[in-house]
Amino acid sequence: MDETIEHGTSRTAGDTHTLHFLLHLAHPVEEVWTAVATAEGLRGWLAAADVLEPRLGGAVTLRWLTTGEGEAIVATGRITAWDVERVAEYTMTSFHGRIRFHLEPARPAGTTLRFTNELQGDDELRLDCLAAWHQHFEYLLDALDDRPVYWSAWTPDRWQELRGAYAER
């Protein structure tokens, strides 16, 4: 199975944007679940989970590490869906909105990850988030291959490249 990140898509109704990504991963569901639903896993590709209560209604606090010299972006929220090794959904009080990971087994031993992010904002935020999620999913592929992000070396270069590509679509 070749690992792929399909180009993200979005649907807009008013100021609500629903972003979708489909990933085909050559890793078993158990490994992908660890990456998207545990504090240790999330830090390797997305954000530091300063709080993560792994249950429906549990608290979650994510601190994004891609801010370079700037102030960290911190989002708090609740776990609004939790079905172990199947669905993890975090609904944040910030612009990040609802973040949902839906895992499905794929043959021979891989995982299909269906991702949805529902957020409110203008079109610039929609494009920013499409690019950011795409980049984070590239990091996820690396993290699943035991190459977590070295956050202190992060630069916005790849994000800017992706942002331009999403703006051209």
Side-chain angles (χ1 to χ4, degrees):
M1 166 189 257
D2 291 328
E3 294 190 308
T4 61
I5 304 168
E6 291 188 9
H7 204 82
T9 62
S10 64
R11 186 178 69 244
T12 299
D15 68 346
T16 300
H17 308 286
T18 305
L19 314 181
H20 297 279
F21 282 85
L22 182 63
L23 288 77
H24 301 284
L25 306 170
H27 296 271
V29 167
E30 300 81 23
E31 289 180 21
V32 179
W33 178 259
T34 297
V36 302
T38 69
E40 300 79 22
L42 288 166
R43 184 176 184 84
W45 70 278
L46 180 62
D50 294 333
V51 175
L52 182 63
E53 297 173 344
R55 60 179 168 75
L56 185 61
V60 61
T61 301
L62 300 176
R63 181 171 36 90
W64 269 258
L65 303 169
T66 55
T67 55
E69 298 294 319
E71 188 173 318
I73 297 171
V74 178
T76 61
R78 292 279 170 206
I79 296 175
T80 49
W82 191 261
D83 185 358
V84 174
E85 294 187 357
R86 184 176 161 100
V87 176
E89 179 181 280
Y90 311 121
T91 300
M92 313 307 285
T93 58
S94 67
F95 71 88
H96 291 93
R98 185 175 59 89
I99 302 166
R100 182 181 183 91
F101 303 95
H102 183 178
L103 285 59
E104 300 171 6
R107 294 182 186 242
T111 303
T112 298
L113 170 59
R114 297 177 192 284
F115 173 80
T116 305
N117 179 207
E118 185 178 278
L119 56 104
Q120 292 187 325
D122 61 17
D123 196 56
E124 294 300 309
L125 178 63
R126 178 186 69 85
L127 293 170
D128 288 350
C129 290
L130 281 166
W133 281 115
H134 193 117
Q135 183 176 23
H136 279 292
F137 290 133
E138 290 175 352
Y139 293 154
L140 174 61
L141 295 180
D142 288 341
L144 288 168
D145 287 333
D146 295 322
R147 295 186 315 270
V149 175
Y150 185 57
W151 291 112
S152 63
W154 181 87
T155 69
D157 298 345
R158 176 66 177 145
W159 175 84
Q160 289 170 339
E161 176 185 333
L162 288 164
R163 175 61 166 78
Y166 277 100
E168 291 175 3
R169 294 189 116 222

